[in-house]
Amino acid sequence: MNKLKLTLSFFLLTHIISAQSASSGSNMLLYGVVGTCVVLFIWAMFGLASNLLKIEAMKNGIDPEISNIGILPTIKDFISPKRPKFAQAGSFHHFTKGHDINLAGKPSDKIERINVTRYAIKPTDFHGMSPIPKVEPEVGAEVKAGDVLFYDKKRPEIKYCAPVSGEIVEVKRGEKRSIAEVIILADKAVSYKKVQTPDINAERATLVEFMAENGLWPLINERPFDMVPDLDTIPANIFISTFDTAPLAPDNNTIVKGNEAAFQKGLDVLTKLTSGKVHLGLDGRGTAPSPAFSEAQGVAKHWFAGPHPAGNVGVHIHHVAPIKGHDRVWTLPVQNVITIGQMFLSGQYHADRIIALTGAELNDPKYVHTYQGASVADLLKGNIVGDNNRIISGDVLSGQQVGEDGFLGFNADQVTVVKEGREYEMFGWLLPLAPRPSVSGTMPSYGGPDTEFEANTNTHGEKRAFVVSGQYENLLPMDIYPQHLMKAIITGNIEKMEGLGITELTEEDVALCEFACTSKNPLQSLLRDGLNNLKEQL
């Protein structure tokens, strides 16, 4: 039937052209049709050549989309935003999905040293660890920075080490006698355990054994499931994001200053541990990042621009080299890379951390120099306004609430203090009487996109029906349908969870969706339940 229509159309077109030529004596229409056919033919030849080039590039392990391989420009080449001048080397990705939450309480540029007396490493910070790990030193014992504190009985070869020297003053226990915190009363001056480091060109097994024995292995996070990797795992790739777009997040350009050599050394070590590449996610917004990032050697560089969560390492993985099948991918924050590099440079476990103290409820938001697991009370002493506040280890979207007597999380680089929103606001959902951050265009921003909000913890509503609204899809720059995924998790449909990409996500990736959720669903805890459920089935 289609062939018949095509034949009739061709016949009519030929008849019209002949009639036109005969009646008017002009060949303009005929020439026009022939010219159009010639242009289309040339265009098709160029298109075929472009496709052959892309096929050849893929055979040689080059991603044609990332490397922009082809002959003819595409529509995307005309409408896509131009990369900044400082972002020339490496691929460039610009996202339009997402939302920046502009909160008051940004840290000033200065970095201060604060007298912190107590530190703690919390076994609960590590997914999959047995609730009662083996604690090596007894209460009252003296330790140096780098001495073993505890290890998981299921994987005794991976050691978790002390960030500072001092006395073990308490092993705090939680439910069913699980170990919640191993607390150290720190010396005034930190003393370090000195070890002999292997050459980074040594066998991979030698490097792995050294890192596991000296507290470096827990600095690595493995996706999916966000766990410390097994020693025999060889990751497909390693990803490091050098910028953070979460609310009030610290600036890694400030953090890496003075640690450039250690960061590069850490990258050199990591390149020995993967069968693929070490990928560095660079900030393609605003001004040029630190040369420690943009001029790093031996790594693949990728630039990212757009609103939060453009800085999330999970977004980078999805757009550069997605997790497929049984692949394992490692991720590390910048300060963990520096700690690995410092160990190979000095033979000492330097768990130094630059922490951003942020939030509108602080008298003096700033950066402080301390160590892993520092006491929150010491960090915030004399700096908090009022007493009706929530203290968060991390950012407001995905951080962990800790009390004033709590400690920093293992990978935390930020403390945020916001006011508790316990007061009821009459008709607050209908008539917003105070400025508040929102992704909705119906909520006035009171001054434009640069307005800084003093947010509190009020959710302005209770949990309600799970409405399919498309909100999540507009905020997550991934080819994933989070709302359908959450429903699959709730119903326990393992096959659907895998098919919808649960292995590519972790809590921080859906944190913005949870912030915007009209149904007030706890998406981060739902996702963790789904990941735990999936892991049990493997």
Side-chain angles (χ1 to χ4, degrees), residues 28 66 68 88 91 121 159 277 302 319 348 431 461 474 499 510 526:
M28 291 299 294
I66 293 175
N68 198 22
Q88 294 305 311
S91 62
I121 299 298
K159 303 295 195 296
K277 296 179 181 177
H302 310 276
H319 287 276
Q348 298 172 341
L431 298 171
N474 292 329
V510 297
L526 277 176

Side-chain angles (χ1 to χ4, degrees), residues 325-366:
H326 297 288
D327 281 355
R328 293 290 181 267
V329 173
W330 292 355
T331 66
L332 294 91
V334 166
Q335 301 205 66
N336 287 10
V337 179
I338 292 173
T339 299
I340 293 173
Q342 285 284 10
M343 173 65 93
F344 278 84
L345 287 174
S346 66
Q348 298 172 341
Y349 183 71
H350 284 269
D352 304 51
R353 293 290 180 269
I354 304 297
I355 303 296
L357 306 181
T358 61
E361 305 311 311
L362 292 182
N363 290 313
D364 184 18
K366 58 189 174 186

Side-chain angles (χ1 to χ4, degrees), residues 229-429:
D230 290 328
L231 297 187
D232 57 356
T233 302
I234 299 178
N237 290 291
I238 299 176
F239 281 82
I240 299 156
S241 176
T242 63
F243 69 109
D244 194 342
T245 50
L248 299 174
D251 183 0
N252 280 325
N253 297 316
T254 302
I255 288 171
V256 82
K257 193 174 183 180
N259 293 301
E260 292 87 351
F263 182 73
Q264 181 60 55
K265 193 71 173 179
L267 294 178
D268 295 340
V269 174
L270 292 172
T271 56
K272 307 294 181 184
L273 304 179
T274 175
S275 59
K277 296 179 181 177
V278 174
H279 297 274
L280 215 56
L282 299 165
D283 191 355
R285 313 162 302 158
T287 57
S290 165
F293 302 140
S294 59
E295 298 176 11
Q297 302 297 310
V299 297
K301 296 168 191 167
H302 310 276
W303 298 87
F304 298 89
H308 182 67
N312 281 13
V313 70
V315 176
H316 301 178
I317 295 171
H318 180 83
H319 287 276
V320 174
I323 300 174
K324 296 177 182 175
H326 297 288
D327 281 355
R328 293 290 181 267
V329 173
W330 292 355
T331 66
L332 294 91
V334 166
Q335 301 205 66
N336 287 10
V337 179
I338 292 173
T339 299
I340 293 173
Q342 285 284 10
M343 173 65 93
F344 278 84
L345 287 174
S346 66
Q348 298 172 341
Y349 183 71
H350 284 269
D352 304 51
R353 293 290 180 269
I354 304 297
I355 303 296
L357 306 181
T358 61
E361 305 311 311
L362 292 182
N363 290 313
D364 184 18
K366 58 189 174 186
Y367 290 98
V368 296
H369 178 276
T370 183
Y371 297 88
Q372 214 170 39
S375 163
V376 169
D378 288 343
L379 291 175
L380 300 177
K381 189 175 182 181
N383 197 6
I384 302 181
V385 179
D387 55 3
N388 184 30
N389 299 309
R390 181 176 297 186
I391 300 173
I392 302 165
S393 171
D395 64 77
V396 290
L397 293 179
S398 59
Q400 181 183 15
Q401 182 180 359
V402 294
E404 287 193 31
D405 58 346
F407 296 88
L408 285 178
F410 188 77
N411 290 318
D413 56 6
Q414 177 183 3
V415 175
T416 310
V417 182
V418 293
K419 191 176 286 297
E420 287 284 3
R422 293 173 180 154
E423 293 78 15
Y424 178 75
E425 187 178 349
M426 183 173 288
F427 298 117
W429 56 274

Side-chain angles (χ1 to χ4, degrees), residues 480-528:
I480 286 176
Y481 297 97
Q483 202 148 26
H484 297 279
L485 172 60
M486 293 299 159
K487 290 195 169 187
I489 293 172
I490 292 171
T491 56
N493 190 331
I494 298 292
E495 289 184 0
K496 207 168 184 179
M497 285 158 50
E498 283 190 286
L500 288 168
I502 189 173
T503 54
E504 292 200 57
L505 296 174
T506 190
E507 282 94 330
E508 67 175 8
D509 296 322
V510 297
L512 185 63
C513 301
E514 182 175 311
F515 165 76
C517 181
T518 304
S519 305
K520 313 294 179 186
N521 279 300
L523 303 188
Q524 296 182 70
S525 60
L526 277 176
L527 179 65
R528 179 49 55 186

